[in-house]
Amino acid sequence: MGDVISLRQFFDNTDEQEHTGRGRVCTRRGSPYLYVDFHHAGHRVCLSTGRPDTPENEREVRAWLDRVLLGLEAGAISFEDAIPGAPQALKEAIARSEGRQMPPADPSQVTLGAYTEKWRRQILARDPSLSKQRDYERILEDRVLPYWKDRVFREINGVEVKKFVLQMVHERGPKKGELLSGSRIRNVLTVLRHVWTDACEENGWDLRDPFEYLRRQRHTRLIPKKAQSSPQVFRFEEWQRLLASMDRWYRPIAEFMMLTGCIASEVAGLRWSDIEQDKILVQNSIVGDLEKGSLKTAYRARAIPLTAAIRRQLDLVRGRSRGKYPFRMRSGRAFESDNFRKNAWARAIRRAGLPARVPYAVRHTFAAWSLTAGMHPERLVRLMGHGSKKMIYEVYGRYVEGLESDAGMIRDYFGKDFLGLEKRHTPDCLIPPAAPRACDSGCDRGGYRKSK
């Protein structure tokens, strides 16, 4: 291939009347614009000119196409120079066919929408986490692309990202017009930052980091901080009231969650094959219609002793279960954690007259009740699927206070085999103030609050 000259220089030196006899200028059904359609380097090129279908425009586009095709045949111009507005993927494919390396893309010409199309296919689609793929796709479609799709990377700066944050509001419902929660805004910015960072790395762009600008200028104050609140725990009487108010079909599911500490997605993913003679293997989860085949962390894969109380709940669902999953919706479909939360759970909470809580509160309650019943924190760490004792000592330990009067009922609810043969452990917060002492696990140093 000869030396590549500038497109303007080539066109200025080309006879406009010279005709290649290749390619065509045409229209497409439903579009008012003219299109060019030709083949180059083994690839078909069919692109809109953006010019209306008129005889004058057709003559001008035909002359332009002839000049382009002559230049491509002579090697005087490259395809990306001749048609800079062509899709990036097409330009890269033609460059590979011609045995050339694409020159670095110009951040003043590449739009975020164009790059994201390739990024989804080459990077996001290969991520091992299917749930991450789904979440990122939803954020891209709902928030990132509507705002940034037609903007070039050179325009993505700290001030523009700040404006982006300020327009992220609820679009419907009682909070319409209010800024999204801090966690949702941060999730959106995480996706935008991944696309921006990968584009800069791939193309060698030395652009100022707009996200560092936000941090440096403390503009993150625009993003609401997550309210610090202790997860809620049911008192025993509240739990009984909730069960009495719940659709009978879903009571065994709710009780299974309380007796095991499993969250709704783990309940959905539980298979009959995971239930052995003396234990339940928690090793799968389903979120929405996506079976993840793994849990939140490696520690979440755990074995839960199969107590008599748990067996009773499984016996209740055995007769109505079809297939490999014990728990199903009343309709017969596989158990859906979102559907359960929005319908059966929410209705029971309202009927019971309880403050709004989510099903995840059952997991917190299981931990607090286990400590109240006398379970050793070391064993609770394993049952909960935590990586260390930090959560037990610093978080769940705070919940034990106030449950002392429920201890006997909680032990009866879990059953005599819940603690097994282990020596009953008395949390420090349950020791009468008149006779203080430290428990053998050192929980007086670990975060339990003393009873006053």
Side-chain angles (χ1 to χ4, degrees), residues 156-367:
I156 304 177
N157 56 53
V159 174
E160 288 302 318
V161 173
K162 180 179 176 181
K163 294 177 184 177
F164 177 53
V165 169
L166 289 172
Q167 61 81 48
M168 276 197 273
V169 298
H170 292 274
E171 297 175 349
R172 60 183 68 88
K175 293 185 178 180
K176 184 176 180 180
E178 293 183 20
L179 202 64
L180 297 181
S181 68
S183 60
R184 290 184 65 185
I185 292 175
R186 280 185 282 273
N187 288 341
V188 173
L189 290 180
T190 294
V191 176
L192 176 61
R193 185 172 64 247
H194 281 182
V195 174
W196 184 89
T197 302
D198 286 350
C200 291
E201 179 66 24
E202 181 177 352
N203 294 288
W205 295 334
D206 186 18
L207 300 177
R208 181 173 294 180
D209 186 345
F211 308 99
E212 178 59 32
Y213 166 82
L214 287 183
R215 290 189 291 269
R216 189 173 63 250
Q217 298 295 321
R218 300 178 182 237
H219 287 317
T220 48
R221 287 187 223 168
L222 295 168
I223 305 174
K225 289 187 177 180
K226 186 176 181 179
Q228 297 296 320
S229 59
S230 297
Q232 297 163 316
V233 170
F234 288 98
R235 294 293 301 274
F236 189 79
E237 180 275 332
E238 290 178 322
W239 178 244
Q240 294 302 307
R241 194 152 32 111
L242 178 65
L243 290 176
S245 304
M246 185 172 289
D247 184 326
R248 293 178 63 87
W249 179 275
Y250 296 103
R251 286 183 202 172
I253 299 176
E255 293 214 63
F256 180 85
M257 293 169 65
M258 181 63 82
L259 293 166
T260 61
C262 289
I263 60 175
S265 60
E266 293 170 344
V267 170
L270 184 70
R271 301 156 294 204
W272 283 116
S273 59
D274 298 326
I275 303 172
E276 300 185 354
Q277 185 175 1
D278 59 346
K279 63 181 177 290
I280 297 172
L281 302 177
V282 182
Q283 53 192 356
N284 188 40
S285 67
I286 296 177
V287 179
D289 57 355
L290 180 66
E291 184 160 3
K292 300 174 72 173
S294 62
L295 302 173
K296 185 177 180 180
T297 68
Y299 301 107
R300 280 289 183 91
R302 58 201 189 276
I304 298 174
L306 188 53
T307 65
I310 297 174
R311 289 180 192 274
R312 284 194 294 273
Q313 305 310 318
L314 291 173
D315 288 341
L316 288 173
V317 302
R318 191 178 301 275
R320 68 192 194 192
S321 174
R322 300 192 307 275
K324 62 181 180 179
Y325 300 105
F327 301 108
R328 302 189 114 11
M329 305 300 290
R330 179 180 280 281
S331 65
R333 298 195 311 272
F335 180 75
E336 300 168 355
S337 55
D338 235 23
N339 190 323
F340 171 71
R341 173 180 59 83
K342 293 176 180 178
N343 295 293
W345 176 272
R347 281 196 298 268
I349 287 285
R350 289 195 301 270
R351 290 171 182 168
L354 295 172
R357 294 172 186 169
V358 294
Y360 204 94
V362 176
R363 177 173 167 83
H364 298 144
T365 302
F366 170 80

Side-chain angles (χ1 to χ4, degrees), residues 24-41:
R24 65 193 182 108
V25 178
C26 57
T27 59
R28 284 185 133 186
R29 182 178 299 176
S31 174
Y33 301 116
L34 291 168
Y35 284 73
V36 292
D37 187 359
F38 62 94
H39 286 78
H40 177 65

Side-chain angles (χ1 to χ4, degrees), residues 27-95:
T27 59
R28 284 185 133 186
R29 182 178 299 176
S31 174
Y33 301 116
L34 291 168
Y35 284 73
V36 292
D37 187 359
F38 62 94
H39 286 78
H40 177 65
H43 298 271
R44 183 184 179 187
V45 181
C46 185
L47 299 170
S48 170
T49 65
R51 302 184 69 170
D53 178 16
T54 67
E56 181 181 359
N57 283 339
E58 184 176 1
R59 286 192 297 272
E60 291 181 1
V61 171
R62 178 70 257 181
W64 173 85
L65 179 59
D66 288 341
R67 294 195 298 270
V68 166
L69 293 175
L70 282 170
L72 292 174
E73 289 175 354
I77 54 173
S78 64
F79 179 80
E80 59 268 21
D81 282 338
I83 310 179
Q88 187 70 14
L90 177 61
K91 290 190 285 188
E92 291 175 356
I94 289 177

Side-chain angles (χ1 to χ4, degrees), residues 9-25:
Q9 180 184 356
F10 175 79
F11 282 178
D12 287 346
N13 295 331
T14 300
D15 183 356
E16 291 191 8
Q17 303 303 315
E18 196 167 7
H19 198 292
T20 66
R22 291 199 304 111
R24 65 193 182 108
V25 178

